[in-house]
Amino acid sequence: MPLSPVSLLPLLSAASAATASASSHMPLRWDQLGLSPIAWDFGFFALRWYSLAYLAGILVGYWHLSRMIRQPGAPMAQRHADDLFFYATLGIILGGRLGYATFYAPELWTHPSEMIKLWQGGMSFHGGLIGTVCAIAFVCWRNRLSFIRVCDYIAPCAPIGLFFGRCANFMNGELWGRVTTADVPWAMVFPGAGPNPRHPSQLYEALLEGVLLATVLITLFWKTRARWRPGLLMGTFATGYALSRFIVEFYREPDAQLEDFALRTGLSMGQWLTLPMLAIGLALLVRALVRPPLGATALPPIVDPED
């Protein structure tokens, strides 16, 4: 999925600084990279990277979904994609915020005025996923569509939003990684995280959950007949995300209020939440692979997106 060169400039700047510091073994400092949570400040209004990330993820995902459903055998029409665009947006925002309050910050439930301050961050992927699944289920129920096949078409679009979201986390200087040594060339000192260098785990997630997972799913859709096996793309997404998140959590600092929970249980909250997702993903993969593909006797040819 092509990205605007402008949108990559902050990340390229960080990468160049990392290379320059490798020889001296001095850790990078986030506050010296020219990064800021605010993309543009108009004086009366500040446009944040966090907001732009959500907007970019939803719009690019909608564009890609619209291309996908023009291929033979799509389980929905453009009007259904339009409905999904609206309801999934609500599901992502409401589910993400409510999930964060439930899993990571229960005190928000007693302070409703703080709950609505989305611009301050605090969104849960797993909560957003639940909200999105509910939105998809509603659209499918109302239009009598196949829930699994619609999810298969949504799955390749989801990592696009994850990529933008994790990049925004990095631009915000939040959700940093665990303490490491300055010998790691890309080790970074984040504001508010103390003087020790840390893993930029936001970028690890952007690469694994975003770039790698998107590459796998988009390739499966356009270059193979995966979409003719109901549940295969959805299962690949669930399994791939769960494994990526589980691995990155070893390098990501647990939320301050959940450090004791991680020490007591041996796993972070993020890792515990990925386990049900991993089980569901594997079950979907097995189900998709043991059943015959749709239209096995007369599959239409694959249409290259560039034709």
Side-chain angles (χ1 to χ4, degrees):
M1 182 62 58
L3 296 175
S4 167
V6 175
S7 67
L8 292 177
L9 284 177
L11 299 181
L12 292 175
S13 174
S16 299
T19 303
S21 70
S23 58
S24 61
H25 299 289
M26 292 295 292
L28 291 164
R29 297 191 63 89
W30 184 92
D31 54 8
Q32 294 179 356
L33 297 178
L35 306 179
S36 170
I38 299 175
W40 290 282
D41 191 344
F42 300 99
F44 63 94
F45 174 73
L47 188 59
R48 295 177 175 268
W49 288 110
Y50 207 66
S51 302
L52 287 176
Y54 271 84
L55 182 63
I58 291 170
L59 290 178
V60 177
Y62 172 73
W63 168 79
H64 188 244
L65 177 62
S66 297
R67 295 189 70 199
M68 293 164 66
I69 63 176
R70 291 201 293 266
Q71 305 308 306
M76 57 182 154
Q78 185 62 49
R79 62 186 181 87
H80 301 131
D82 296 341
D83 285 346
L84 282 170
F85 171 73
F86 173 74
Y87 289 108
T89 300
L90 291 179
I92 291 170
I93 296 174
L94 295 178
R97 189 58 171 171
L98 296 178
Y100 178 78
T102 301
F103 302 133
Y104 298 97
E107 65 275 7
L108 287 176
W109 288 106
T110 60
H111 297 84
S113 61
E114 297 295 319
M115 183 80 80
I116 63 175
K117 294 181 179 180
L118 301 179
W119 56 90
Q120 294 184 354
M123 300 286 280
S124 163
F125 164 78
H126 296 91
L129 177 65
I130 294 172
T132 302
V133 169
C134 290
I136 296 171
F138 173 73
V139 173
C140 291
W141 169 77
R142 192 172 70 170
N143 295 280
R144 298 183 180 181
L145 304 176
S146 168
F147 173 75
I148 290 181
R149 295 210 66 220
V150 169
C151 286
D152 280 337
Y153 277 64
I154 297 294
C157 304
I160 299 171
L162 289 171
F163 170 77
F164 286 118
R166 295 311 181 190
C167 289
N169 291 147
F170 180 72
M171 297 298 294
N172 286 350
E174 63 185 3
L175 303 184
W176 50 73
R178 298 176 189 265
V179 172
T180 184
T181 65
D183 291 335
V184 177
W186 50 85
M188 186 170 298
V189 177
F190 288 94
N196 296 317
R198 295 175 177 271
H199 287 284
S201 56
Q202 316 95 322
L203 299 183
Y204 300 172
E205 292 187 86
L207 291 174
L208 287 178
E209 303 167 8
V211 176
L212 178 60
L213 196 51
T215 300
V216 171
L217 287 166
I218 291 174
T219 300
L220 284 175
F221 182 88
W222 290 107
K223 300 300 182 182
T224 76
R225 299 189 183 277
R227 67 180 183 270
W228 299 102
R229 290 186 175 275
L232 183 58
L233 292 170
M234 181 168 58
T236 301
F237 169 75
T239 303
Y241 176 85
L243 292 175
S244 298
R245 180 67 180 268
F246 194 90
I247 293 170
V248 171
E249 285 287 329
F250 287 114
Y251 300 93
R252 175 174 164 175
E253 184 76 10
D255 290 41
Q257 68 274 23
L258 294 176
E259 287 183 357
D260 290 341
F261 173 84
L263 289 174
R264 290 197 313 270
T265 64
L267 296 176
S268 68
M269 176 63 77
Q271 288 174 315
W272 282 112
L273 292 175
T274 61
L275 295 180
M277 192 173 181
L278 177 62
I280 293 172
L282 291 174
L284 287 169
L285 286 175
V286 172
R287 178 184 182 275
L289 293 174
V290 300
R291 294 189 175 191
L294 298 176
T297 58
L299 289 175
I302 296 176
V303 179
D304 192 303
E306 301 302 326
D307 289 347

